[in-house]
Amino acid sequence: TDVSRLAVPDGKGLRRLTIREGLRLFGYPEWYEIPTKENDAFDLLGNTVAIPVVEFVAEQLAEISVGVSELAV
């Protein structure tokens, strides 16, 4: 997947992103784990949406919803 192709500089060149770093990149909490093989975990990360983005969109939709319901009253 594309996530497995991400590389980070480590002072000696480039290395592959770890699963933990990928989880952090997408906003997962430190305790979250993907209990599967590394390649499968990267596939799952490649199909995810960043948690902070989902939270932001949900908050915006909630605000719009409250505003619309107030107009209807």
Side-chain angles (χ1 to χ4, degrees):
T1 70
D2 291 337
V3 177
S4 66
R5 293 185 189 129
L6 292 176
V8 292
D10 70 353
K12 302 174 195 168
L14 297 176
R15 63 172 177 78
R16 281 181 50 170
L17 193 71
T18 66
I19 298 299
R20 174 61 43 211
E21 290 167 332
L23 289 168
R24 289 177 184 143
L25 183 65
F26 285 101
Y28 285 89
E30 285 298 313
W31 56 262
Y32 191 84
E33 294 182 10
I34 301 178
T36 187
K37 296 178 184 176
E38 186 176 277
N39 286 339
D40 294 337
F42 278 122
D43 284 341
L44 291 171
L45 281 175
N47 292 326
T48 193
V49 177
I51 302 287
V53 173
V54 173
E55 291 173 339
F56 177 81
V57 170
E59 289 170 3
Q60 297 303 307
L61 290 173
E63 287 180 20
I64 291 169
S65 177
V66 169
V68 169
S69 64
E70 289 175 356
L71 290 174
V73 173

